[in-house]
Amino acid sequence: MNRDDGIRYSPRLSAVRPSPTIAITRAAAELRRRGKDVVSLSQGEPDFDTPQHIKDAAKLAIDNGATKYTDVDGSPELKAAIIAKFKRENGLVYDLTQVSVGTGGKQVIFNALSATLGSGDEVIIPAPYWVSYPDMVLLADGKPVVVECGDAYGFKLTPAALDAAITPRTRWLILNSPSNPTGVGYTVEELRALADVLLRHPHVLVLTDDMYEHIRYVDWSFRTIAAVERRLFDRVLTVNGVSKAYAMTGWRIGFAGGPAPLIRAMATIQSQSTTNPSSVSQAAAIAALDGPLDFLAERNHVFRERRDLCCKAFNDIDGLSCLLPDGAFYLYPSCAGMIGRRRSDGRTIDTDVEFATFLLEEAGVAVVPGSAFGHSPYFRISFATATNNLIKACDRIAKACATLR
Ligand code: PLP
């Protein structure tokens, strides 16, 4: 690909788009720089701080000299803490050869796809999906097979839709529960039904992204598919991390449990790209995983109040409707009722991108359009921000929407 700057870029680059959530966050920051008061609801990051005992562990690690390279895909100490976590919280038994640590869950997923996909290999991605899955598949030369899961199905993949999407070229199914962007979580029965389909297709691997495991609001016990169906254990990569539960997005530690040969292949990719994740962050992650989880109940309580507040505010606006999520810290309201309405300057809103642009320009609120998540017309807000910001944002959105004709 040739661009004006004289540099010849790879064809691979033109297949992917930069992260839309980062793009919106940038646009909001730019408006702020120009003096506009913008409330950003686009970033998926807890506003709480990393718990003190985790920060203390990192400081101690620096003082004790844990400042050098570690094993490529994680120190044995962190792997031991991850093995204990999987056993304690998920009933999954892995050994040291079956665990991988990367620079965030994002790198772990990237490694897995890069290590396994070839040209034309298909990856089933239920939509709405986390923005990065399709682009990571494309970067690995694979083919995203997006399966629409509308709100009529609670935004979940049905066994029939899964069965219909599987071909001889299918390499992976990606599951994400609770989901970014919808917050819906699969029940044991729903996972069981998907597992029954997968058992009939032994060539399909499953990547389950459990990043929001600990951020839950309903009386629903989180289960992960390798624990629900033991016969799938050798075909499942169970991905998790410390970013969301422990408010550690900047520390960049994610991990996975899976079959030893796959874990070895992922380490090979990582060894030629970033080598080990930060040694100090690994020490902090040990303290996180081995430490108490009691702070979570309090934080989830605050998240729950914010969820209820925003969900009600959106459902009170004519033209918007919103499902109450089971977990994570996002709402994914439909803006179908806004499509076709006219702004005060005469412009019509035809898509969710135009609705998000309208909210940014007229309400000074940054949200991410549903098209970024493969399912329109919707938009995503993150309620992981201060409650007064959310009240302000909902109020502004209601006032701006009232001006649409
Ligand atoms: N998976 C999902 C569904 C996410 O929402 C995110 C982050 O937003 C990640 C994975 C990656 O998390 P990290 O790379 O911070 O561990």
Side-chain angles (χ1 to χ4, degrees):
M1 180 169 59
N2 285 307
R3 291 186 184 164
D4 296 347
D5 57 18
I7 299 172
R8 193 164 164 274
Y9 293 96
S10 76
R12 191 171 286 146
L13 181 67
S14 59
V16 301
R17 31 171 212 168
S19 164
T21 41
I22 293 175
I24 291 277
T25 306
R26 276 213 198 107
E30 179 52 33
L31 279 178
R32 259 195 224 109
R33 249 193 305 282
R34 287 200 254 129
K36 193 167 165 84
D37 172 22
V38 177
V39 183
S40 180
L41 305 183
S42 59
Q43 195 88 333
E45 166 162 85
D47 55 321
F48 299 114
D49 200 3
T50 304
Q52 192 57 44
H53 67 279
I54 300 175
K55 294 198 233 178
D56 290 342
K59 290 178 199 163
L60 194 65
I62 294 173
D63 290 340
N64 288 345
T67 54
K68 304 282 167 57
Y69 291 129
T70 68
D71 289 357
V72 165
D73 64 350
S75 68
E77 295 78 16
L78 176 52
K79 286 188 178 179
I82 292 166
I83 288 167
K85 174 259 178 291
F86 276 133
K87 188 158 180 229
R88 188 177 62 239
E89 295 176 356
N90 308 112
L92 294 173
V93 180
Y94 293 110
D95 64 33
L96 280 172
T97 67
Q98 295 172 311
V99 169
S100 183
V101 186
T103 301
K106 204 170 202 170
Q107 188 187 27
V108 172
I109 298 169
F110 189 87
N111 288 343
L113 296 172
S114 300
T116 52
L117 295 181
S119 173
D121 283 341
E122 296 173 4
V123 178
I124 298 174
I125 305 175
Y129 47 68
W130 178 45
V131 291
S132 295
Y133 300 139
D135 293 279
M136 287 194 197
V137 170
L138 290 167
L139 276 172
D141 277 344
K143 182 176 161 204
V145 175
V146 173
V147 179
E148 292 263 350
C149 307
D151 54 9
Y153 304 104
F155 295 121
K156 293 181 201 178
L157 180 66
T158 63
L162 170 61
D163 207 22
I166 293 173
T167 75
R169 293 304 306 267
T170 306
R171 297 286 285 130
W172 288 96
L173 161 69
I174 299 185
L175 290 175
N176 174 214
S177 167
S179 141
N180 174 5
T182 64
V184 301
Y186 287 85
T187 63
V188 177
E189 294 71 31
E190 287 161 345
L191 289 175
R192 172 78 270 141
L194 293 176
D196 286 344
V197 174
L198 291 161
L199 286 172
R200 295 202 299 273
H201 301 280
H203 64 293
V204 180
L205 300 167
V206 185
L207 189 159
T208 175
D209 179 344
D210 300 347
M211 201 54 75
Y212 295 92
E213 168 182 8
H214 287 297
I215 303 184
R216 306 197 294 264
Y217 310 109
V218 283
D219 192 15
W220 152 74
S221 63
F222 172 86
R223 293 290 294 281
T224 192
I225 194 160
V228 170
E229 176 47 82
R230 301 279 159 179
R231 283 174 292 171
L232 288 181
F233 184 79
D234 291 333
R235 291 160 52 189
V236 176
L237 187 71
T238 305
V239 178
N240 213 314
V242 294
S243 286
K244 313 289 176 175
Y246 300 91
M248 291 178 69
T249 45
W251 300 77
R252 312 305 305 129
I253 295 291
F255 52 84
L262 173 63
I263 295 293
R264 266 198 310 279
M266 289 161 61
T268 303
I269 300 279
Q270 190 161 303
S271 72
Q272 298 299 13
S273 53
T274 57
T275 311
N276 63 276
S278 152
S279 56
V280 178
S281 296
Q282 290 191 60
I286 295 173
L289 295 173
D290 286 349
L293 267 174
D294 47 356
F295 64 92
L296 263 176
E298 203 181 303
R299 292 180 177 192
N300 281 350
H301 181 71
V302 176
F303 279 143
R304 189 197 179 108
E305 285 181 347
R306 294 174 181 173
R307 174 198 72 158
D308 294 347
L309 181 147
C310 295
C311 201
K312 176 171 183 330
F314 291 146
N315 280 325
D316 284 346
I317 296 174
D318 170 46
L320 298 184
S321 67
C322 187
L323 291 182
L324 205 57
D326 306 320
F329 35 63
Y330 307 102
L331 292 182
Y332 198 63
S334 160
C335 55
M338 297 297 180
I339 303 302
R341 292 195 189 177
R342 209 169 277 281
R343 296 174 58 161
S344 52
D345 61 6
R347 278 187 284 165
T348 312
I349 293 176
D350 291 325
T351 63
D352 55 20
V353 174
E354 289 174 8
F355 183 66
T357 307
F358 161 74
L359 291 183
L360 187 58
E361 291 174 357
E362 298 300 323
V365 179
V367 304
V368 187
S371 54
F373 307 95
H375 196 73
S376 293
Y378 288 78
F379 65 98
R380 188 197 77 175
I381 69 141
S382 158
F383 53 83
T385 183
T387 306
N388 7 347
N389 269 344
L390 292 168
I391 294 172
K392 187 159 135 188
C394 290
D395 192 46
R396 286 181 178 191
I397 291 175
K399 287 200 175 103
C401 288
T403 66
L404 293 172
R405 293 285 164 261

